[in-house]
Amino acid sequence: MMTSTSETPLRPAQASPGEALIQMRQLRKVYRKRNEEFLAVSDVSMDIHEGDMVSLVGPSGCGKSTLLKILAGLHEHDGGTLQIGGPNNVFNPGRDVGMVFQQPVLLKWRTILDNVLLPADILGLNKKAATARAHELLDMVGLTGFADKLPYELSGGMQQRAAIARALIHDPKLVLMDEPFGALDALTREKMNLEMLRIWGETKKTFVVVTHSIQEAVFLGTHCAVLTAGPARMADFFAIDLPTPRHLLLKTQNEFGEYVRRIYDLLGVD
Ligand SMILES: Nc1ncnc2c1ncn2[C@@H]1O[C@H](COP(=O)(O)OP(=O)(O)O)[C@@H](O)[C@H]1O
Ligand SMILES: [Mg+2]
């Protein structure tokens, strides 16, 4: 369980039944520099259940990365409450979070296999079991046969898939992705969206993925949190009730367009 500073009323969020893995209530984050204060996240409340795929969408600077860093235990929040892992569970971000960034950030002198093994090395997991798992994960992300390659021998999309395998090696409860496909071309990005949904389906883990693409947020999410900038705040949190597994043609359907439009309205785009 993480810090809890005050009891605040429950904001209505259309969450699935059962106990939430993550409970946020009026979460607030202020960055302080000398005498200046900057409100980066204000009044963010949501419930995330095990197995959810939550997309966080909003314009640049609205606090998406800040929120993800709070979930990853890299930043403290200044107000509201955050409970991860349920009231009786201990949540250890180092062990229980897998993180994927916009750039794959692979170590260029380590092979793909050794890059995937990095969190296992840091956590001191059994090498033999971790290596077997790394090979399974490389198969799962479509990198069979690339274990002994160095990062520069792989394309950007393949490197990002290695980064996803690395985020899963220590079997985390929660996978956090910060604009993971922002650096990829449009077609590779669409393919990676499908890959990611398949991986999410196979691992049955809880994913939170940050994107500034409204279409991507709707396509990926079982739930979507919409954040706005100036002032930074949460505009809405809702379930995305679209058929699964998702196919790219879903993007041509009216029901998909209705969710996209709902987010456009929230963000004041017309
Ligand atoms: N370490 C920091 N110190 C001060 N301000 C920050 C820091 N990190 C982010 N900010 C500011 O907080 C706001 C939200 O940033 P961020 O969470 O990175 O937004 P996003 O990921 O949605 O683009 C931005 O205005 C940014 O300039
Ligand atoms: Mg960001």
Side-chain angles (χ1 to χ4, degrees):
M1 198 170 102
M2 297 185 83
T3 49
S4 146
T5 49
S6 65
E7 283 299 316
T8 45
L10 201 150
R11 186 179 198 271
Q14 291 159 297
S16 10
E19 191 175 271
L21 175 69
I22 301 173
Q23 264 194 18
M24 280 182 228
R25 294 290 177 271
Q26 275 145 341
L27 211 67
R28 187 181 159 82
K29 170 71 188 172
V30 179
Y31 286 117
R32 292 184 179 82
K33 237 185 243 161
R34 285 175 231 104
N35 298 330
E36 283 175 43
E37 289 201 341
F38 183 81
L39 181 63
V41 167
S42 165
D43 190 24
V44 171
S45 304
M46 68 182 94
D47 279 356
I48 299 177
H49 290 81
E50 252 181 277
D52 283 352
M53 164 75 85
V54 178
S55 50
L56 286 180
V57 66
S60 177
C62 71
K64 303 181 295 295
S65 296
T66 301
L67 200 54
L68 217 61
K69 284 175 192 160
I70 293 172
L71 284 175
L74 299 170
H75 276 341
E76 291 285 330
H77 56 286
D78 298 291
T81 61
L82 173 64
Q83 187 177 286
I84 310 185
N88 303 318
N89 292 329
V90 179
F91 185 84
N92 172 351
R95 208 165 252 283
D96 297 333
V97 170
M99 190 101 186
V100 179
F101 302 93
Q102 182 164 0
Q103 303 292 340
V105 282
L106 301 175
L107 299 176
K108 58 178 189 269
W109 61 89
R110 286 179 81 127
T111 62
I112 294 301
L113 177 68
D114 285 339
N115 266 288
V116 172
L117 282 170
L118 194 64
D121 290 348
I122 292 169
L123 291 167
L125 305 185
N126 177 285
K127 187 80 182 178
K128 203 171 157 207
T131 304
R133 180 67 184 144
H135 282 290
E136 282 174 17
L137 287 169
L138 285 172
D139 290 345
M140 188 173 81
V141 299
L143 290 177
T144 309
F146 289 89
D148 297 328
K149 302 276 186 213
L150 287 166
Y152 78 89
E153 298 177 272
L154 274 63
S155 70
M158 291 162 88
Q159 290 191 24
Q160 198 55 306
R161 281 187 270 156
I164 294 173
R166 180 183 55 194
L168 295 169
I169 186 69
H170 54 301
D171 199 27
K173 290 193 180 101
L174 179 63
V175 180
L176 303 175
M177 300 191 171
D178 197 353
E179 306 205 30
F181 310 129
L184 303 177
D185 65 86
L187 200 61
T188 309
R189 186 169 179 155
E190 294 210 306
K191 284 185 190 154
M192 287 296 292
N193 280 345
L194 292 172
E195 285 294 304
M196 187 173 130
L197 285 174
R198 184 181 56 76
I199 293 164
W200 168 71
E202 281 181 22
T203 59
K204 299 188 170 42
K205 290 192 184 297
T206 310
F207 277 45
V208 180
V209 56
V210 164
T211 177
H212 59 244
S213 158
I214 293 170
Q215 277 80 6
E216 193 169 79
V218 174
F219 188 71
L220 292 175
T222 59
H223 299 76
C224 180
V226 184
L227 304 174
T228 56
R233 62 179 189 86
M234 190 164 96
D236 205 355
F237 179 70
F238 51 86
I240 298 177
D241 188 16
L242 290 173
T244 49
R246 305 235 167 122
H247 301 287
L248 289 178
L249 280 179
L250 177 65
K251 296 185 187 187
T252 65
Q253 306 290 306
N254 282 342
E255 44 187 343
F256 183 86
E258 279 161 25
Y259 281 107
V260 169
R261 190 181 166 153
R262 176 174 178 165
I263 300 174
Y264 276 142
D265 286 345
L266 287 162
L267 296 179
V269 182
D270 51 27

